[in-house]
Amino acid sequence: MAANPNIYLIGPMGAGKTTVGRRIAEIKGMQFIDSDQEIEKRTGVDISFIFDMEGEDGFRKRESDMITTLVNETNTVMATGGGVILESANRDLLSARGVVVYLETSLEQQLARTRNNRNRPLLEGSDDVEATLTQLMEERDPLYRSIADLTVKTGDQPARRLAREIVERLESIGTAEI
């Protein structure tokens, strides 16, 4: 029996990529990887520390190196960082190596989901988090859409239900063995 194609979840911070990704992996019997968590595990420091020491450019280089490594995994659901799509090489790799699912979320949901999370370097020190999130979405939404095989609006439904919806929609569009 052929392995499932990899599933890559993209979208802004607070979209639920990690939570939904874990549920999809459970449903499909696949391994789950969070690219940001892998960077933290392999460097021994959190993302905020990398941003502080190396800036966003240094982090993006590490992120690209990690994506290059992780796309070689098989039978995997991967949650990516919100800015992974900024590098064209990352977009090309994700598109070529699996099925890309864009978790689209509202500004209100992002604000609620990121409000108490201090490990969001692009929001740290922001005088206007709403304006920052709006600007990031304006820049990134076209890039998310450009590589998405499937776009799913997240809402208030439980992660498990959203994961089932994604699996069903992928099956209905006939993505290989999915």
Side-chain angles (χ1 to χ4, degrees):
M1 182 170 160
N4 292 309
N6 288 342
I7 300 170
Y8 303 125
L9 301 178
I10 61 171
M13 66 180 88
K17 298 178 298 286
T18 299
T19 304
V20 172
R22 285 186 201 286
R23 300 303 181 268
I24 292 171
E26 287 172 11
I27 292 167
K28 297 293 293 172
M30 298 168 74
Q31 79 168 325
F32 173 76
I33 298 174
D34 179 299
S35 62
D36 282 350
Q37 290 174 3
E38 285 297 309
I39 291 169
E40 290 179 340
K41 184 166 54 173
R42 294 180 190 194
T43 62
V45 297
D46 66 23
I47 301 298
S48 293
F49 185 81
I50 296 170
F51 265 78
D52 288 345
M53 302 282 55
E54 300 177 6
E56 185 173 359
D57 289 344
F59 171 75
R60 295 291 170 214
K61 168 82 172 87
R62 287 180 182 275
E63 182 177 57
S64 290
D65 291 346
M66 185 60 63
I67 293 300
T68 299
T69 299
L70 294 177
V71 295
N72 291 312
E73 296 287 330
T74 58
N75 203 39
T76 299
V77 177
M78 179 170 48
T80 63
V84 73
I85 44 74
L86 295 173
E87 297 293 328
S88 62
N90 293 342
R91 293 193 304 272
D92 292 345
L93 278 171
L94 294 172
S95 292
R97 300 288 182 93
V99 179
V100 180
V101 178
Y102 172 23
L103 297 186
E104 183 181 17
T105 192
S106 69
L107 177 61
E108 293 75 25
Q109 287 173 324
Q110 281 188 278
L111 286 167
R113 293 174 181 165
T114 61
R115 182 169 287 119
N116 296 319
N117 188 323
R118 300 292 170 232
N119 197 21
R120 308 280 185 177
L122 294 177
L123 299 182
E124 288 177 12
S126 174
D127 294 330
D128 188 345
V129 171
E130 185 172 336
T132 300
L133 290 172
T134 299
Q135 177 190 356
L136 289 170
M137 184 53 77
E138 287 172 1
E139 294 168 0
R140 296 174 179 186
D141 183 67
L143 299 173
Y144 294 137
R145 291 183 189 285
S146 74
I147 65 167
D149 296 302
L150 176 65
T151 299
V152 178
K153 289 188 183 233
T154 64
D156 294 329
Q157 72 271 43
R160 190 169 303 284
R161 186 176 332 149
L162 183 58
R164 276 197 290 269
E165 175 189 333
I166 291 167
V167 169
E168 288 169 7
R169 288 182 62 189
L170 289 173
E171 288 171 349
S172 74
I173 61 174
T175 54
E177 292 292 319
I178 233 163

